[in-house]
Each structure stands twice: as C-alpha cells, then as structure tokens.
Amino acid sequence: SDECSVGSDDTCTLTSTFFGPSVQYWVNEQVWFGGGVGVSVARTFRNASDEDGFSEEGLGLDLRAGYSFTAGGQSTFNISVEYTPGFYTFETIIGDFDYTIHGFGILFGYQHF
C-alpha cells in the first residue's frame, strides 16, 4: 500500500507541531520561564507530497525555561529547554484511543534587543 498508516510496515515520518500563543516571564535579568496553550497537529507521511498520510489535531502545550549568559546589553546568548506535549484522540470503529506525543528540545540562541 502507498498509504502511511498506524500499524503498517511502511517507513514513515511522524511530526507533531504546536501552534498557539505563548508568554514569557523573566525571573531576573538572566532566567526566564515561558508557556502557552494551543493546537498540536500530528501527521505521518512518506514524503513531502504525501496526501494519504494520517493527520490529527489536539490540545497542545508549550513549556520553556531558559538562561541568558549576558545581562543588561543589547545582545545575549542563551540556552533553553522546551517541552511540547500534544494530546490526541484516535477514533476507530471499536472505540477511542487517547495518546500523547512528547516533544523535547534543547535550544542555543542569540537575541538582539
């Protein structure tokens, strides 16, 4: 089958993407926390033009914490960690299945104020 589906033997790519607003709170000049609530989209596909892949939308969260190595200047280098869980329900003829896709990231960044 050319379809990329749950339970198939095909090699597929799974993405989980967060869309939504986030806020950021600076504890001091170097430490900050952030978070947001929005929509997560899970999708499987074989290649970028695959239209037969599985797609599902659900509740998404974005939770972040970071540290800026320089404070008080116009530019800063920083490191942060990010956790983006997506909560989904897969509906079938025998019942609904709830699942969560967990996304984690360690980011190294540069900001110019």
Side-chain angles (χ1 to χ4, degrees):
S1 165
D2 288 337
E3 186 173 313
C4 190
S5 60
V6 176
S8 72
D9 291 334
D10 295 333
T11 300
C12 301
T13 299
L14 170 67
T15 63
S16 180
T17 308
F18 170 81
F19 296 97
S22 294
V23 295
Q24 188 167 306
Y25 173 75
W26 287 82
V27 176
N28 57 39
E29 289 186 348
Q30 292 181 288
V31 177
W32 54 268
F33 296 97
V37 177
V39 175
S40 278
V41 178
R43 183 169 182 254
T44 62
F45 56 92
R46 286 170 150 298
N47 56 52
S49 63
D50 183 7
E51 296 179 9
D52 295 326
F54 167 81
S55 182
E56 184 73 37
E57 294 180 2
L59 173 68
L61 300 178
D62 177 29
L63 307 170
R64 297 179 313 247
Y67 178 83
S68 293
F69 293 104
T70 54
Q74 286 189 342
S75 299
T76 179
F77 290 94
N78 58 66
I79 185 170
S80 61
V81 294
E82 189 164 10
Y83 173 53
T84 54
F87 304 94
Y88 305 95
T89 298
F90 182 62
E91 298 176 7
T92 69
I93 58 172
I94 60 171
D96 295 345
F97 299 96
D98 295 327
Y99 62 99
T100 303
I101 297 176
H102 303 273
F104 296 94
I106 298 175
L107 298 90
F108 299 94
Y110 169 81
Q111 287 181 318
H112 180 73
F113 300 102

